Amino acid sequence: MPEEIYQESQLYKIRHSAAHVMAEAMLERFPDAKIAIGPPIEDGFYYDFELPTPIKDDDIKWVEKRMKKLLAQRHEFNMREVSAEEARALFHDQPYKLELINDLVRGARAENGAPMADGSDGLTVYTQNNFTDLCRGPHVQSTGDINPKAVSISLRPPAGAYWRGDEERQQLTRIYGTAWETPEELRDYRARLEEAIKRDHRVLGEKLDLFIIDSMVGKGLPLWLPAGAILRDTLERWLRDIQIERGYLPVVTPHLGNIELYKTSGHYPYYADSQYSPIDVDGEEFLLRPMNCPHHCRIYTSQPRSYRDLPLRYAEFGAVYRYEQSGELRGLTRVRGFTVDDAHLFVRPDQLLEEFKGVVKLIQHVFGALGMTDFRARLGARDPESDKYVGDNALWEEATIAIGEACDELGLEYHIESGEAAFYGPKLDFIVRDVLKREWQLGTVQVDYNLPQRFDLEYVDRDNERKRPVMIHRAPFGSLERFIGILIEHFAGAFPPWLAPTQAIIIPIRASHNDYAREIESLLLARGLRVKADLQDRNMRSKIKQHRRLNIPWLLIVGDRDIEDRTVSLRLRTDEDLGAMPLEAFAAAAAANVQAKSQEIGL
C-alpha cells in the first residue's frame, strides 16, 4: 500500500491509537518510565521507552493483557491544541518529549517568524483515559474501534532503538506491536512473520555460506564467500549481457573523487550527513563516492559530442559508500558499502521518451526473469515545501510530465508521491511485493535536467548549435547487496537453478563409483553447468542430507546400474525422486532449464 494511502487508512489510525494504549499500559507497569515516540510502521507500530529496570516476558504479557482491557473500555481520543508553555508543563518529567517540543517550536517559529496567532506553535496533544501524548494524529474515535483480539505486542531482539537513531544517545527499549481490523488478519500476519523468521537472509546467508559480516573488517561491510560471490557474479553477468544487447557501454570509475566533483554535482554538502568525512591527500580533499553519476558526467565531457553520438548509455557496477548509524545496519539490506547496477543515459530531448520507455521495459524484464511480478510504480515528485531540491522549477515540471507520458504510453499504472524525488529530479520507483507480501523499493529510473546543467554538458545539434542533453539515471537492482538479501528471503535460499551457486551435486554410492562421478562432473562442466562431485569418504545418506540443506537443485546419485546404463539417478532438493535418467538427457535438460532462466527445478 502506498505510504500516503496507508496514512489515510483506518488501519493506520488503529495502529497509531494502539501505540498510545500500549504506552498507557506501560506507564502503569513502569510508572517511572520515560516515553519517547510511538509511530505506526509497516505491519504495525512501536513505542520507545527508557525503563528503570529491564523488561521481561512477564511484563510484556501483563501489558498486552492490560491493553486489551483498556481497549474494551471504549475511551475516546480527544485532541486539543496547546501552547509551548502548556506542553512543557504537561511533560515536565519527560525529557524526550521536552526535546521534541523544543524542536517543534523552533521549527514552527522559524517558518512563521513568530508564535502563531493563537499561541499554540502548532502543538497538539491527544488524550485517552488517563494518558496524554504529544501527537499530530490521526486516531480512531475511541478505543472501542480497535478489536482487542486483533492486537498483539512483543519484545523483539534489540534492533537499534537509540534515541533519534544516534548511537551516541541513550539506548531505549523498543516494544513492537501489531494491530489489524480482524483476528483473521492477525493470524495471517503471524503466519507470515514466522515464515519471515525462517527466511531471514542473515540466517540463511550463514547457513548457505553466502556472506559474513566480520567485526574486524567493520559493521555494514559484508564479505562475500565463494557461493555468495558466484550468486552475485551470475546476476552481474546476466545484467551486463542484457545491457550490451541494448546498446549500453561499460565504464569503470574510482571509488573516491575530489570533493570539488561532488560540490559541483550538489551531493556535497546537500547530503553531507550521509557521507564520510573528506580525506586529506597532499592538501586536496577527497570523498568516498556516495554516487556514481558525477564520474559518468566527467566521462561525457572528456570529448566533444555530436547529436549523432546520442544516446550514450554508460553502465557500471559501481561501489558507493554511505554513512549509516550502527543501529540501522541490517545484514545486506542496510550496509555502509554497496554496489549499484548504475547506468546513466545522455539523450537528446527528442529521444527522452523512447529511452525512458526502454529503461522501464528493461526493469520489467529483469523482475519477470526473477519471478518478481507483483509490483507497482511510484512517480516520486518534488515536495513544494522542501528546500532539499536543486534546479529550475520549469525543468522539474518538464521532467515529471515526461515520466508520466512514458508510463501512459506503456500502459503502466502509477501513483504520484510528493517528496519522493531525488534532489536533482523526479523519478519512477518500482515497489516490489515478495512472497510474504512485504514491499521493497527496488528498481528506479530518474530524469535529470540539473546535472547536465551543473556540469555544463553539451552536444552539437543538426543546426550546429550547442544544446544540453537530458540525463536518465537507472538501476534495476538498486543496491546489489540489498537486492540479493531480498532475493534470499524471496526464495528462502532455494534459488532457481540458473541462480543457484551449485546447480548439481554428484554423489557416488561407494568409492568404486568415483571415476564415473568425475566423468559426469567433467561432462556437465563442459556444458556450462556449476557442478561438483562429492568424493568424500562419507555415508551417502549424510551427503544427501547435507546437500539438500544447502538447497542444491539437483542431486545425482550414481551406482553400479548407472555406470552400466550411463544414467544418473536424479533426486530434487525437495526430496522428490525422479529415478534413473540418461546422462546425456539430463545434461541437455539441465542446460535448457538454466538457459531459459526457469523458476522450476523439475526436468
Side-chain angles (χ1 to χ4, degrees):
M1 182 188 300
E3 183 65 23
E4 72 275 13
I5 296 175
Y6 175 45
Q7 290 181 3
E8 296 296 325
S9 69
Q10 178 70 0
L11 188 57
Y12 184 93
K13 295 175 184 177
I14 286 171
R15 289 169 176 169
H16 198 174
S17 305
H20 281 223
V21 176
M22 181 175 73
E24 179 183 1
M26 281 289 291
L27 285 179
E28 290 184 19
R29 186 68 167 179
F30 299 94
D32 296 328
K34 306 302 178 187
I35 57 175
I37 57 173
I41 55 174
E42 183 183 3
D43 284 343
F45 58 89
Y46 70 80
Y47 213 114
D48 290 342
F49 304 88
E50 182 183 337
L51 300 177
T53 57
I55 193 168
K56 300 176 182 176
D57 287 340
D58 287 346
D59 297 315
I60 291 292
K61 291 175 183 176
W62 186 94
V63 170
E64 185 170 306
K65 186 176 180 181
R66 178 60 179 154
M67 279 181 69
K68 294 186 176 181
K69 287 184 178 179
L70 291 168
L71 291 172
Q73 291 171 6
R74 307 185 69 84
H75 299 294
E76 289 192 357
F77 284 87
N78 296 306
M79 183 271 282
R80 64 191 177 96
E81 295 184 348
V82 295
S83 66
E85 290 69 24
E86 186 178 358
R88 292 186 183 105
L90 280 170
F91 300 102
H92 68 277
D93 59 346
Q94 294 292 340
Y96 303 108
K97 295 297 182 185
L98 290 174
E99 183 178 327
L100 291 173
I101 291 166
N102 292 335
D103 287 352
L104 290 169
V105 169
R106 276 194 296 269
R109 293 185 179 177
E111 182 176 345
N112 297 303
M116 297 176 71
D118 59 5
S120 69
D121 286 307
L123 299 176
T124 57
V125 296
Y126 275 81
T127 300
Q128 92 277 355
N129 195 29
N130 298 316
F131 179 73
T132 297
D133 204 356
L134 181 72
C135 182
R136 290 181 298 182
H139 289 282
V140 294
Q141 185 173 345
S142 86
T143 59
D145 296 324
I146 306 172
N147 189 332
K149 294 182 180 179
V151 176
S152 71
I153 64 171
S154 65
L155 180 66
R156 299 183 188 175
Y162 291 101
W163 174 233
R164 294 190 150 179
D166 185 347
E167 59 187 349
E168 302 298 323
R169 305 291 299 274
Q170 178 69 34
Q171 186 168 21
L172 306 174
T173 299
R174 176 165 293 180
I175 311 297
Y176 286 93
T178 191
W180 300 84
E181 296 189 62
T182 67
E184 292 75 21
E185 289 174 324
L186 176 60
R187 284 196 292 271
D188 179 64
Y189 167 74
R190 283 174 167 163
R192 285 189 284 117
L193 191 61
E194 289 178 8
E195 184 64 22
I197 292 171
K198 295 176 187 175
R199 291 170 178 259
D200 190 324
H201 76 278
R202 294 166 297 181
V203 176
L204 290 174
E206 181 178 346
K207 174 184 173 183
L208 302 177
D209 295 328
L210 299 175
F211 70 93
I212 59 171
I213 306 292
D214 182 81
S215 60
M216 185 173 285
V217 173
K219 296 178 181 178
L221 299 170
L223 298 175
W224 293 90
L225 305 178
I230 291 171
L231 169 61
R232 178 186 171 116
D233 183 65
T234 300
L235 284 168
E236 286 190 21
R237 287 172 183 266
W238 172 57
L239 185 54
R240 278 197 180 97
D241 289 344
I242 293 172
Q243 290 175 163
I244 288 171
E245 290 172 1
R246 286 163 173 77
Y248 285 78
L249 303 172
V251 295
V252 178
T253 60
H255 290 219
L256 77 170
N258 192 292
I259 197 169
E260 294 303 320
L261 178 69
Y262 307 108
K263 287 181 178 179
T264 300
S265 70
H267 292 100
Y268 190 91
Y270 289 103
Y271 287 100
D273 290 345
S274 64
Q275 298 168 11
Y276 290 97
S277 299
I279 305 165
D280 184 272
V281 181
D282 297 333
E284 291 186 89
E285 287 189 307
F286 288 79
L287 275 182
L288 286 172
R289 66 178 173 189
M291 295 280 191
N292 300 304
C293 34
H295 296 253
H296 292 188
C297 286
R298 296 303 296 168
I299 291 177
Y300 182 93
T301 62
S302 64
Q303 57 183 279
R305 306 292 179 182
S306 161
Y307 72 94
R308 296 186 184 89
D309 299 324
L310 303 185
L312 273 175
R313 310 178 187 95
Y314 293 144
E316 175 179 20
F317 285 85
V320 297
Y321 302 89
R322 307 278 175 83
Y323 176 72
E324 301 283 0
Q325 300 282 356
S326 294
E328 297 174 339
L329 300 172
R330 184 182 185 274
L332 295 177
T333 57
R334 196 71 178 267
V335 293
R336 286 176 170 155
F338 55 94
T339 303
V340 181
D341 56 321
D342 231 344
H344 297 96
L345 290 72
F346 301 89
V347 306
R348 301 192 310 263
D350 62 290
Q351 296 170 327
L352 175 60
L353 193 60
E354 287 304 313
E355 288 298 314
F356 192 95
K357 286 162 57 179
V359 170
V360 172
K361 290 177 183 177
L362 184 149
I363 291 175
Q364 291 174 318
H365 173 76
V366 167
F367 289 167
L370 294 166
M372 305 178 87
T373 54
D374 185 2
F375 62 83
R376 58 184 175 86
R378 176 183 69 198
L379 199 168
R382 182 176 187 167
D383 179 357
E385 302 299 322
S386 175
D387 61 357
K388 78 173 186 177
Y389 305 103
V390 297
D392 182 79
N393 288 341
L395 293 178
W396 272 84
E397 182 68 17
E398 193 173 339
T400 304
I401 291 171
I403 293 176
E405 286 182 357
C407 292
D408 291 340
E409 290 195 12
L410 289 170
L412 178 66
E413 292 186 9
Y414 65 95
H415 73 277
I416 300 174
E417 190 164 334
S418 177
E420 287 296 327
F423 81 96
Y424 48 73
K427 60 177 180 171
L428 186 70
D429 292 326
F430 289 82
I431 316 298
V432 175
R433 192 157 75 157
D434 66 14
V435 292
L436 297 178
K437 301 179 182 179
R438 299 172 302 183
E439 289 194 331
W440 304 90
Q441 192 265 297
L442 294 178
T444 185
V445 198
Q446 303 164 9
V447 176
D448 181 5
Y449 288 85
N450 285 302
L451 286 188
Q453 194 168 41
R454 283 174 166 265
F455 282 98
D456 195 24
L457 306 186
E458 294 180 336
Y459 66 91
V460 178
D461 208 354
R462 292 180 179 86
D463 56 10
N464 210 34
E465 294 291 326
R466 295 187 179 276
K467 303 288 179 63
R468 196 161 317 277
V470 184
M471 196 170 172
I472 300 175
H473 307 242
R474 54 109 280 207
F477 296 154
S479 156
L480 193 57
E481 283 74 8
R482 184 169 177 269
F483 192 83
I484 290 176
I486 293 166
L487 277 185
I488 292 170
E489 297 188 2
H490 183 70
F491 290 117
F495 301 108
W498 74 276
L499 277 180
T502 301
Q503 295 163 332
I505 193 80
I506 307 151
I507 303 174
I509 296 174
R510 292 189 299 275
S512 58
H513 308 132
N514 285 357
D515 286 345
Y516 184 51
R518 290 190 188 95
E519 182 184 347
I520 296 170
E521 181 184 52
S522 296
L523 185 147
L524 297 180
L525 285 172
R527 297 290 182 91
L529 297 171
R530 296 188 291 270
V531 301
K532 294 178 184 175
D534 186 345
L535 306 181
Q536 297 179 73
D537 186 17
R538 290 190 299 123
N539 178 274
M540 179 191 70
R541 294 190 182 279
S542 69
K543 292 181 182 181
I544 292 174
K545 183 177 180 181
Q546 175 197 358
H547 297 304
R548 282 189 61 213
R549 179 183 66 82
L550 293 174
N551 284 325
I552 295 174
W554 300 311
L555 284 68
L556 309 180
I557 319 298
V558 294
D560 290 337
R561 177 67 62 85
D562 295 294
I563 294 174
E564 291 175 14
D565 298 340
R566 291 197 61 75
T567 59
V568 292
S569 297
L570 176 60
R571 184 174 297 188
L572 306 182
R573 66 181 167 212
T574 57
D575 208 30
E576 182 180 355
D577 191 345
L578 299 186
M581 186 176 188
L583 174 57
E584 285 293 338
F586 169 79
N593 180 291
V594 171
Q595 180 67 28
K597 306 290 186 294
S598 173
Q599 302 294 310
E600 305 299 328
I601 61 173
L603 298 177

